[in-house]
């Protein structure tokens, strides 16, 4: 029986084509197109027909003709049996079917008789679909955030399906939400506070962590193993169990609503992982290089400044970026410690915006874009460093 | 000689470590122990301000005598519950100015009015008046008198430092009928959030481990949900899932998949009919778990991808020669190679999801059946304002955490270094 691969191929590929078509339809709907029917069953039959004809035609006609002709035919029937849609939508359908046909152009009846072909087909389509699926579910919320920040309250309530950007508005109208959050809600100050807190945390953490990591990596002292295990264990304790005692103590010391208080807490909570990451890297530096430094009469301060730091810049960059990300995104402590708008960080300020149910959502989303964009840009630009930081630090999150 | 060298080494090590260790002890370890202390006390949020004596100074003219001024000090105990003992008061007067008919509790010495007010009970209030005059009979400048602030001092118990203890908080924590529900919700959230994230992460890693066009782009965007700030992402999701103006509900209604919008974050239960059985689904909790999976599968992805890339390629080539298909290759080569990392990931993510606060707090605030233990810490401590209860819940979390960590180190602690 060699029909099994054929049936599997037909089923999987048609499902794939229909699903991708449906995603395209959903995306078109979200651009304001009035489409109300998915027509899954009919479109599935149509896709089945396309898959079957590709295999049946096989190599009997020229590849190029097959790849061009069949999608055109498919799109034509698709337009006939689906509701009316503008031309750009149907061009999208044509491109999807073109891509699909090109993908399976080599599938013939004889190819489907090879070993493990059904498994290969399943894996192939699964990963193709997974690419579309993951890209869609990840990028969609970011897209929603971005687009909503350019909308007006009335547009949002009138048609939540229309997620297109109206480019005909003039500049000041287009960026109104951003103007409002900077002028009325004072987001400029929050950006400044967030930057100071994040950069400050990075600097203080590094100043504390580099010597400590060097000691753990290189020097012998009583309690070393105990210390290196406790670093990891301390790291496992979550912020939520620290919050009440810190809140009470900070209240009594008057450290609430102050940047200093946040700096202390952020530094202390990121120190363990910074030490852990750095000492791993320091251990990989050959000891002979340091010995040479010792011969030159350097003390430990000189060794750290002149030898260790220049040699471990990539690791320090990783730690710095990771700590920056943690501090920039941190929410719990800023929620607990800050209740005076003068000392808000960006995250806290956005949370404060929602406290008033009347705040239009486009302002909220504009604020979200303002806090998200810098960290995503930093991530994309320094991806290599941040990824290694994330991998080492991702025991937490 | 070597002895002194090792001594120097030790001393250097301690000097280098001291700042970091001190800070971590003060901010991380101390609070964990402080929690134990606070959890045995009945402390409310309003109690944590240390009681202090306060005085507001008001300067008034006296209409019949222009050379005299009346100073009124509005004295009060800032605390509503605690007494203040041994209160001392002092205020300075400018040159040539002295009080007339001073209160018996006070003395005037070297230009200073010094009073001994004794003890004030909680909520104590008094209007304390002094009349002053200029020795030369000149007018007194009101502003100079006003600008001088009185000093007050007193001894009050800091409620956090007293040795009054009670077991009431723990009794309340465990006797609450909801405690079991709370624990179950936490485990449900933790378990499914962890497993879901690992499964998604595994798929994503398997995907990116292949060669295809746009692979590096895909690898970058797969990390976006984790890198983005939780506040922004949670509010975007809230907007997306909103029953009235959210895109998801609008979409589902538009295509006729549902009749009317579902409040995905605000509805506790939803009855699903599966194969004739009615299944009661914890709807809001499930939605929160979905967000959790969406946000944290990138971490699992990162870990698993790193491991996958270390699997020797010739293993796959050998399998191909032996005639193994993709499925056999995955089950017999890939899976055994990643089981170690999967179990470590499971344990670590389990611990971290167990402690998750921000995500749930921002999405639902703990309403509609999404109250987990960490959310309870916040609600007890700050919404109900019962600091003692909040600490008691924290202690429960720490206890459970210690149990998890013991299991973790027993099971895979030694293997953790191999990855």
């Amino acid at each position: 029986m060699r029909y099994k691969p054929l049936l599997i191929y037909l089923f999987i590929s048609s499902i794939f084509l229909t699903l991708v078509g449906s995603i395209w339809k959903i995306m078109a709907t979200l651009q304001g197109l009035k489409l109300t029917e998915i027509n899954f069953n009919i479109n599935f039959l149509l896709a089945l027909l396309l898959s079957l004809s590709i295999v049946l035609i096989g190599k009997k006609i020229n590849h190029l003709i097959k790849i061009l002709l069949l999608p055109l035919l498919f799109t034509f029937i698709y337009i006939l049996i689906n509701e009316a849609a503008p031309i750009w939508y149907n061009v999208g359908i044509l491109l999807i079917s073109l891509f699909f046909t090109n993908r399976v152009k080599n599938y013939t009846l004889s190819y489907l008789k090879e070993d493990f072909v059904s498994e290969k087909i399943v894996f192939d389509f699964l990963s193709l679909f997974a690419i579309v699926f993951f890209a869609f579910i990840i990028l969609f919320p970011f897209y929603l955030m971005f687009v909503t920040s350019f909308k007006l309250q009335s547009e949002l309530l009138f048609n939540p399906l229309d997620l297109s950007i109206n480019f005909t508005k003039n500049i000041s109208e287009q960026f109104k939400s951003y103007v409002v959050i900077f002028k009325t809600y004072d987001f400029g100050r929050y950006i400044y506070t967030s930057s100071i807190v994040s950069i400050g945390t990075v600097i203080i953490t590094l100043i504390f962590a580099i010597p400590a990591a060097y000691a753990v990596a290189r020097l012998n002292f009583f309690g070393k193993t105990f210390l290196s295990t406790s670093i990891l264990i301390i790291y496992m304790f979550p912020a939520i169990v620290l919050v009440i005692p810190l809140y009470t103590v900070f209240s009594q010391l008057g450290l609430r609503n102050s940047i200093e208080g946040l700096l202390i807490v952020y530094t202390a909570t990121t120190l363990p992982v910074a030490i852990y990451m750095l000492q791993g890297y320091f251990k990989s530096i050959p000891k002979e290089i340091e010995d040479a430094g010792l011969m030159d009469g350097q003390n430990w301060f000189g060794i750290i400044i002149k030898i260790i730091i220049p040699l471990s810049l990539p690791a320090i960059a990783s730690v710095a970026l990771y700590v920056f990300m943690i501090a920039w995104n941190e929410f719990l402590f800023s929620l607990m410690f800050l209740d005076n708008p003068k000392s808000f960080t960006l995250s806290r300020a956005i949370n404060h915006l929602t406290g008033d149910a009347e705040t239009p959502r486009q302002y909220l989303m504009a604020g979200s874009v303002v806090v998200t964009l810098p960290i995503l840009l930093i991530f994309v630009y320094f991806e290599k460093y941040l990824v290694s930081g994330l991998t080492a630090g991702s025991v937490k999150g | 000689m070597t002895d002194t060298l090792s001594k120097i080494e030790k001393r250097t090590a301690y000097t280098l470590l001291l700042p970091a260790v001190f800070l971590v002890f003060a901010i991380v370890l101390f609070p964990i122990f402080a929690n134990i202390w606070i959890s045995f006390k009945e402390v409310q949020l309003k109690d944590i301000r240390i009681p202090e004596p306060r005085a507001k100074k008001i300067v008034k003219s006296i209409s019949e005598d222009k050379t005299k001024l009346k100073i009124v000090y509005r004295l009060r105990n800032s605390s509503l519950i605690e007494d203040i003992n041994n209160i001392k008061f002092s205020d300075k007067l400018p040159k040539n100015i002295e009080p007339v008919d001073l209160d018996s509790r006070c003395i005037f010495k070297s230009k200073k009015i010094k009073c001994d007010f004794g003890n004030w009970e909680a909520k104590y209030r008094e209007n304390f008046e002094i009349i002053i005059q200029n020795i030369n009979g000149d007018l007194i400048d009101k502003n100079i008198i006003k600008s001088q602030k009185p000093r007050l001092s007193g001894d009050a118990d800091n409620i956090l430092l007293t040795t009054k203890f009670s077991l009431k908080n723990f009794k309340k924590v465990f006797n609450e009928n909801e405690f079991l529900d709370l624990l179950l919700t936490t485990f449900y959230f933790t378990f499914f959030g962890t497993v879901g994230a690992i499964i998604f992460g595994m798929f994503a890693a398997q995907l990116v481990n292949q060669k295809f066009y746009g692979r590096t782009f895909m690898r970058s965007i797969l990390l976006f949900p984790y890198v983005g700030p939780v506040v922004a992402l949670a509010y975007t999701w809230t907007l997306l899932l909103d029953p009235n103006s959210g895109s998801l509900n609008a979409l589902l209604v538009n295509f006729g998949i549902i009749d009317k919008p579902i409040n995905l974050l605000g509805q506790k239960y939803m009855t699903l009919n599966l194969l004739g059985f009615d299944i009661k689904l914890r709807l809001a909790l499930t939605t929160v778990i979905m967000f959790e999976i969406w946000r944290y599968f990138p971490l699992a992805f990162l870990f698993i991808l790193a491991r996958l890339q270390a699997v020797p390629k010739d293993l796959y080539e050998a399998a191909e020669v032996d005639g193994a298909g993709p499925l056999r290759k995955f089950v017999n080569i890939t899976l055994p190679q990643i089981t170690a990392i999967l179990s470590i990931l499971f344990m670590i993510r389990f611990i971290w999801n167990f402690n998750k606060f921000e995500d749930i707090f921002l999405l639902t605030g703990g309403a509609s059946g999404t109250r987990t233990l960490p959310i309870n810490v916040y609600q007890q401590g700050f919404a109900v304002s019962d600091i003692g209860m909040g600490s008691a819940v924290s202690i429960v979390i720490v206890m459970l955490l210690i149990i998890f960590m013991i299991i973790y180190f027993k099971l895979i602690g030694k293997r953790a270094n191999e990855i």
Side-chain angles (χ1 to χ4, degrees), chain B residues 205-247:
Chain B
Q206 186 73 17
L207 180 73
V208 173
N209 202 29
Q210 302 167 1
K211 280 194 170 60
F212 60 90
Y213 182 73
R215 182 177 153 210
T216 35
F217 172 74
M218 196 70 194
R219 205 181 64 178
S220 310
I221 65 158
L222 272 171
L223 290 166
F224 276 15
Y226 179 70
V227 175
V230 61
V231 179
L233 298 178
Y235 287 140
T236 310
W237 269 64
T238 322
L239 183 68
L240 174 70
L241 303 175
D242 190 279
N244 299 315
S245 57
S247 304

Side-chain angles (χ1 to χ4, degrees), chain A residues 141 144-150 156 177-178 181 350 353 360-372, chain B residues 231-240:
Chain A
L144 178 74
M145 182 199 294
F146 185 71
V147 167
T148 310
S149 71
F150 291 108
L156 282 172
S177 309
Y178 291 91
I181 61 166
I350 292 167
L353 277 185
R361 253 162 267 167
Q362 66 271 27
Y363 299 163
L364 190 61
M365 286 300 110
S368 299
V369 170
V370 168
V371 68
T372 311
Chain B
V231 179
L233 298 178
Y235 287 140
T236 310
W237 269 64
T238 322
L239 183 68
L240 174 70

Side-chain angles (χ1 to χ4, degrees), chain B residues 380-393:
Chain B
Q380 298 290 354
F382 298 95
V384 186
S385 304
D386 193 337
I387 292 273
M389 270 294 275
S391 270
V393 182

Side-chain angles (χ1 to χ4, degrees), chain A residues 210-240:
Chain A
I210 290 172
Y214 177 76
V216 174
R218 275 290 192 267
L219 304 174
N220 280 314
F221 57 91
F222 176 72
K224 186 171 160 177
T225 27
F226 172 75
L227 195 79
S228 33
T229 24
S230 45
I231 288 174
L232 269 183
I233 291 175
I234 287 172
Y235 190 47
M236 292 281 207
F237 281 100
I240 189 76

Side-chain angles (χ1 to χ4, degrees), chain B residues 131-287:
Chain B
I131 294 174
I132 50 170
Q133 64 173 15
N134 199 325
I135 305 174
N136 310 330
D138 294 343
L139 291 178
I140 310 171
D141 189 348
K142 244 181 172 180
N143 289 329
I144 295 177
I145 306 289
K146 254 187 208 163
S147 63
Q148 182 67 42
K149 295 271 174 285
R151 281 197 195 147
L152 279 149
S153 69
D155 308 330
D157 285 341
N158 184 343
I159 189 160
L160 292 171
L161 300 179
T162 56
T163 43
K164 263 198 293 187
F165 294 107
S166 88
L167 273 173
K168 224 171 159 185
N169 292 325
F170 283 101
K171 276 188 196 146
K172 246 161 89 189
V173 168
F174 290 113
N175 284 343
E176 237 185 328
N177 341 341
E178 288 163 5
F179 184 70
L180 200 67
D181 182 49
L182 202 64
L183 214 58
L184 273 178
T185 310
T186 314
F187 274 104
Y188 191 86
F189 169 79
T190 310
F191 182 78
F192 288 104
T194 310
V195 170
I198 290 179
I199 290 173
F200 269 76
M202 199 161 76
F203 275 121
Q206 186 73 17
L207 180 73
V208 173
N209 202 29
Q210 302 167 1
K211 280 194 170 60
F212 60 90
Y213 182 73
R215 182 177 153 210
T216 35
F217 172 74
M218 196 70 194
R219 205 181 64 178
S220 310
I221 65 158
L222 272 171
L223 290 166
F224 276 15
Y226 179 70
V227 175
V230 61
V231 179
L233 298 178
Y235 287 140
T236 310
W237 269 64
T238 322
L239 183 68
L240 174 70
L241 303 175
D242 190 279
N244 299 315
S245 57
S247 304
L248 185 69
N249 271 304
L251 207 61
L252 292 176
V253 170
N254 177 53
F255 286 118
I257 297 169
I258 51 171
D259 300 331
K260 54 173 195 279
I262 302 173
N263 192 349
L264 285 162
L265 285 168
Q267 197 175 321
K268 190 169 180 183
Y269 290 110
M270 187 169 93
T271 321
L272 279 182
N273 196 308
L274 264 183
L275 307 165
F277 292 100
D278 277 345
I279 295 172
K280 235 175 157 192
L281 185 75
R282 299 277 295 259
L283 186 63
L285 188 60
T286 311
T287 315

